[in-house]
Amino acid sequence: MLIDAHCHLDFPDFDADREAMFERARAAGVGHFMVPGTTRKRWPNVLALGERPDVSISLGLHPCFIDEHGEEDVDALAQALDAHPEVKGVGECGIDARFEETLEAQWELFNAQLRLAKTRQLPVVIHCVHANDKVSKRLRELDLPAGGLIHAFAGSPDQAWKFLDLGFVVGLGGAVTYERAQRLWRAVKSLPEDGFVLETDSPDMPLCGYQGRRNEPVRIDQVCDMVAKLRNVSTEAIAAQSTATAKRIFGLA
C-alpha cells in the first residue's frame, strides 16, 4: 500500500470527479491520503474528507494565501485543533521566499503555528521554498517534540540532513522526475530509509511529462519508481519504507 503523504483533495479542481479520482488511486495501490488544510474557509472541506477511513488530515494556514488569513485565524486554528482530536498535524504552514513583500507576515504566521504544534505535541507540515536554511534554524530554536514533514523538498543533501537531525522527514514528489533536478537527486540518494515520504501535492506539482495537467494521487507510483531508480532498490522497498515513515510521523494506524 502506498500513502500519498500530501495532497490537496479538498480543492475545487476535484469537485467534478473526486470519487473517480479516489478509485483511480486505489486501483494503483494508493490506500491512504494525507490532506492538509490551507485556509480557514477550506477547513470544513478538509474535515469532511477526514471522515473517510482512507483520509487523514492536518489543519493550517498556508503562506501563499497570506491575503486570505485574518488576525483571528490563529485563535480559530487553536480552537479547531482542540475540537477535532482526529487532526494529525498542524499545516500546511511555512515560508515561501518568492513572495518577498509578505515575508514578515509569513514569519509571524508560521511562528504562531509552530508554537501551536509544540504545545499540542503535533507534527508540522511545512511549505518551504527558497528558505531551507532559515526554516531549519527556526525549527532548531523551537525544538519541536513531534517533528513533521518538509513538504516538496527540493534542496541539497546537507539541507535535507539538517531537517532529519531535527526529527523531520522530507517529502518527495513530482520534482524528482525532472532530469534538471540533479541537486535533489543527490539528496534523495543520501537519505536514510526512514528519512522520506512520497507525495504528489495534487492538484499541483505535476510530474515530468504531465506539465500543464492536473496532478493526481494515482501518479505517486511514478514518483516511487523514480526514487527507487535513484536509490538503486526495488519499488516495493521504497513503497514499504515511505508508508512506514508516513505512519510513524502522523501516528496512523
Side-chain angles (χ1 to χ4, degrees):
M1 183 189 75
L2 282 162
I3 293 177
D4 189 339
H6 191 103
C7 46
H8 298 282
L9 306 185
D10 63 302
F11 278 18
D13 306 66
F14 297 109
D15 285 352
D17 66 340
R18 185 170 284 106
E19 192 53 48
M21 174 272 298
F22 276 115
E23 291 176 3
R24 285 190 291 272
R26 282 194 295 269
V30 188
H32 205 80
F33 310 83
M34 284 296 308
V35 178
T38 52
T39 64
R40 182 180 178 182
K41 71 179 182 180
R42 295 213 61 83
W43 294 345
N45 303 72
V46 174
L47 288 164
L49 277 176
E51 295 177 1
R52 295 175 56 108
D54 56 353
V55 172
S56 296
I57 62 171
S58 59
L59 294 179
L61 300 164
H62 194 296
C64 291
F65 301 103
I66 196 77
D67 293 338
E68 297 186 37
H69 307 321
E71 293 181 1
E72 69 286 355
D73 285 357
V74 172
D75 289 337
L77 177 57
Q79 294 168 10
L81 294 173
D82 293 338
H84 297 280
E86 72 273 20
V87 174
K88 299 296 185 180
V90 175
E92 184 174 353
C93 59
I95 300 295
D96 196 317
R98 294 174 298 181
F99 305 102
E100 296 182 7
E101 68 280 3
T102 65
L103 268 177
E104 183 176 351
Q106 287 184 47
W107 276 107
E108 183 177 350
L109 187 63
F110 185 37
N111 284 326
Q113 293 178 87
L114 292 177
R115 288 191 290 269
L116 286 179
K118 183 166 185 174
T119 58
R120 287 158 177 78
Q121 297 190 331
L122 288 170
V124 191
V125 178
I126 296 180
H127 174 102
C128 185
V129 177
H130 301 325
N132 285 326
D133 294 333
K134 291 181 179 179
V135 168
S136 64
K137 179 181 178 181
R138 183 63 182 131
L139 296 177
R140 190 180 314 111
E141 293 168 347
L142 277 177
D143 189 24
L144 300 177
L149 168 64
I150 306 300
H151 152 64
F153 181 76
S156 69
D158 179 64
Q159 289 171 329
W161 275 92
K162 285 181 180 179
F163 288 125
L164 297 178
D165 289 342
L166 294 169
F168 284 75
V169 301
V170 298
L172 305 178
V176 303
T177 64
Y178 290 85
E179 189 172 354
R180 66 175 181 266
Q182 295 295 314
R183 184 177 70 160
L184 175 57
W185 285 8
R186 292 193 296 273
V188 170
K189 294 174 183 178
S190 79
L191 295 171
E193 290 184 356
D194 61 351
F196 64 90
V197 294
L198 304 178
E199 59 177 28
T200 63
D201 198 28
S202 299
D204 301 316
M205 212 162 76
L207 283 67
C208 183
Y210 295 91
Q211 295 93 321
R213 296 168 61 181
R214 182 187 73 176
N215 200 6
E216 290 192 21
V218 68
R219 298 193 186 116
I220 200 170
D221 61 347
Q222 297 177 52
V223 177
C224 185
D225 289 344
M226 189 64 196
V227 173
K229 179 180 178 181
L230 290 171
R231 293 174 64 82
N232 195 29
V233 298
S234 69
T235 56
E236 292 81 7
I238 294 299
Q241 292 163 8
S242 171
T243 295
T245 301
K247 288 181 176 181
R248 171 176 61 84
I249 287 292
F250 293 111
L252 306 179

